[in-house]
Amino acid sequence: MHTSPPDDLATLDTAASAPSPAEPGGPRRAASPWRGRVMAAGLLLAALNLRPAVTTLGPLLEEVRDGLGMSGTVAGVLTSVPPACFALFGFTAPRLARRWGPGAVVCAGLAAIAAGLLLRPFAGGTVVFLAASALALAGIAVSNVLMPVIVKRWFPDRVGAMTGLYSMGLSLGTAVAAAVTVPMTDALGGSWRAGLGVWALLAAVALVPWLFLARDRTSGAESGPEANGPGANGPGANGPGANGPGANGPGANGPVASASVASASDAGGSETGGGTGTRTGTDTDTGAPAAVAETAAAPADGPAIRIARSPLAWAMAVFFGFQATAAYISMGWMPQIFRDAGVSASTSGLLLAVMMAMGVPLAFVLPRIAARLRHQGVLVVILGVLGLIGYGGLWLAPAEGAWLWALLLGVANCAFPLALTMIGMRTRTHAGVVRLSAFAQSVGYLLSIPGPLLVGVLYQHSGGWGQPLALMAGFMVPQIVAGVLAGRDRTLEDEG
């Protein structure tokens, strides 16, 4: 019988979370310091490579369109490719991880990123360019899903710290790529092909530690001699076990999910959201990570959750989908909006970098605040209003207030870590958080696909940014409504 992706994820989650019989105390830290350093370096290098394929294109979109003869509509299709790939290829990651191990799959994902980025500049037409972009984005999609899994398995007693490292690497790669692409292109002779292709070198560097790490089908935490006990290398040994709310969703951006739960726990005690989140820390009786101990003590599967019939799940999916729409419209089109207003290409790239950089501190601050609130709707409304002000400012004075609008929209786009935190707070069990994460992110990324495309169509046919900006502002309304509904103090299990 064919198993749906959410069930695959739930199976992987419960299998990976339970302690091995050979390790009564649960997972332990990697045996050798050098191995831990290689793992940390691999984690950071991978994070740095999971956004440049997207954020390097926006600052050079005008040159790419001219070079390949793209219309505004086709450019809209191009900016819709990232969420489409995240929704499509993210489904394959859990099954690949069970077969080959998460380390090997992430290694293959980085190889796909490097190959796609290397091939993209040699494209002689739009179709080849789209195909090469899709190859790189497929690698990003599977890595997005599995990186939180690797964090938990390799660093079970340092999930919060290592997820913070990963999250900062992700945001740093996003912002730096946006900021330096145009200056680097100018330094390389002004060719957009060189400016995009040079990022394949960073992906190639990231491959080096993963070629070593991919050879080990076990987690770093289980690398000692005791790890060879019964079941240590079975199908579940390499499955995702991350506790973060976005750990197993097709998107992505899952790492912040683990960081969100960990940060909220650090800030507000041992529970997130008044007992509805995932507890982190150390179990005082066993010495194992508390989440692992709780999973071992609790039944692997609670009552069956009819996820597709849950109003909470649909509210979360709609909220996630519209915040993803705003993010990918920003990454794909925002530099062009500024350039059309008379801002230089290099400054437009810096403005996009500012927007992306806002995610670095707020990815840690917002989850801590959200954890102290019984209803997260007030945060949803604040972020939505800031987004509406930003879009209004872009319509009234795009060049004069460019830096202010970039700051406001950067804060508004931080609805992403808030969404992932809310996923963790709206469930009580591991199975629930995995199913809600998978559903919200799968449906959400599918909902986000038309947004960037519609912006491109309106831009081409209207000849300006008035109608596209009105559409972007309009997207904020259902995002706020769905977010307020999803932020109410209740859990998925209550609807089961």
Side-chain angles (χ1 to χ4, degrees):
M1 179 178 177
H2 178 70
T3 306
S4 66
D7 289 335
D8 289 344
L9 294 166
T11 302
L12 284 165
D13 181 70
T14 53
S17 297
S20 166
E23 296 185 352
R28 297 177 304 136
R29 187 174 301 199
S32 58
W34 69 267
R35 179 178 174 81
R37 285 192 287 268
V38 171
M39 291 175 178
L43 192 70
L44 180 60
L45 286 170
L48 290 171
N49 280 278
L50 295 186
R51 289 299 175 271
V54 180
T55 55
T56 56
L57 184 58
L60 295 175
L61 185 58
E62 183 174 313
E63 287 77 9
V64 173
R65 287 180 59 195
D66 291 342
L68 298 178
M70 282 187 190
S71 66
T73 301
V74 174
V77 172
L78 178 60
T79 56
S80 294
V81 169
C85 286
F86 290 165
L88 176 62
F89 293 107
F91 278 116
T92 68
R95 289 175 179 144
L96 292 173
R98 277 204 308 271
R99 176 65 180 86
W100 302 104
V105 176
V106 171
C107 182
L110 288 169
I113 295 170
L117 294 179
L118 183 62
L119 293 173
R120 191 160 65 170
F122 295 101
T126 301
V127 174
V128 177
F129 189 90
L130 287 171
S133 297
L135 175 61
L137 292 165
I140 293 172
V142 296
S143 300
N144 270 334
V145 175
L146 296 178
M147 290 307 293
V149 174
I150 286 174
V151 168
K152 180 180 176 182
R153 289 181 59 79
W154 288 357
F155 304 98
D157 52 354
R158 290 182 289 166
V159 171
M162 299 312 296
T163 306
L165 174 69
Y166 173 80
S167 299
M168 286 191 292
L170 191 70
S171 297
L172 183 64
T174 304
V176 169
V180 307
T181 293
V182 172
M184 188 181 298
T185 300
D186 293 339
L188 294 172
S191 170
W192 64 265
R193 297 180 186 273
L196 293 181
V198 71
W199 293 97
L201 295 175
L202 182 61
V205 171
L207 263 178
V208 175
W210 286 94
L211 290 173
F212 166 76
L213 296 171
R215 296 167 56 191
D216 189 358
R217 291 289 304 276
T218 64
S219 72
E222 299 166 347
S223 58
E226 296 89 344
N228 297 318
N233 294 309
N238 297 297
N243 290 320
N248 298 299
N253 299 304
V256 182
S258 298
S260 302
V261 175
S263 299
S265 178
D266 293 341
S270 61
E271 301 285 341
T272 61
T276 61
T278 300
R279 187 163 65 91
T280 59
T282 304
D283 187 272
T284 55
D285 296 327
T286 65
V292 176
E294 287 182 7
T295 303
D301 292 306
I305 300 171
R306 297 181 180 274
I307 192 76
R309 298 183 182 180
S310 165
L312 170 61
W314 278 104
M316 193 68 70
V318 172
F319 177 56
F320 192 95
F322 279 101
Q323 67 79 29
T325 299
Y328 286 105
I329 288 174
S330 296
M331 285 187 278
W333 287 109
M334 203 56 64
Q336 190 66 51
I337 294 175
F338 289 122
R339 291 183 69 173
D340 287 351
V343 179
S344 68
S346 58
T347 302
S348 296
L350 286 174
L351 288 165
L352 177 60
V354 168
M355 293 178 61
M356 299 299 104
M358 296 304 296
V360 177
L362 291 180
F364 292 95
V365 174
L366 277 176
R368 292 174 181 268
I369 298 174
R372 291 182 168 91
L373 301 175
R374 295 183 64 85
H375 193 315
Q376 289 74 44
V378 62
L379 296 178
V380 171
V381 172
I382 290 172
L383 295 181
V385 169
L386 291 178
L388 290 172
I389 295 172
Y391 290 131
L394 283 175
W395 180 66
L396 291 172
E400 294 80 0
W403 293 100
L404 176 59
W405 315 140
L407 284 171
L408 291 176
L409 291 172
V411 175
N413 282 345
C414 288
F416 172 71
L418 176 61
L420 295 176
T421 305
M422 287 164 59
I423 290 174
M425 297 177 69
R426 298 284 85 86
T427 56
R428 289 198 303 264
T429 64
H430 287 290
V433 77
V434 172
R435 289 187 173 94
L436 181 57
S437 174
F439 181 82
Q441 294 197 47
S442 301
V443 175
Y445 277 112
L446 289 173
L447 289 175
S448 71
I449 292 172
L453 172 59
L454 290 173
V455 168
V457 172
L458 288 176
Y459 174 53
Q460 177 179 346
H461 289 282
S462 68
W465 286 105
Q467 292 182 22
L469 285 170
L471 178 66
M472 296 178 206
F475 284 153
M476 277 292 171
V477 176
Q479 176 180 321
I480 293 171
V481 173
V484 169
L485 293 174
R488 292 183 297 177
D489 186 21
R490 68 195 193 283
T491 65
L492 181 68
E493 290 79 7
D494 294 337
E495 298 178 348

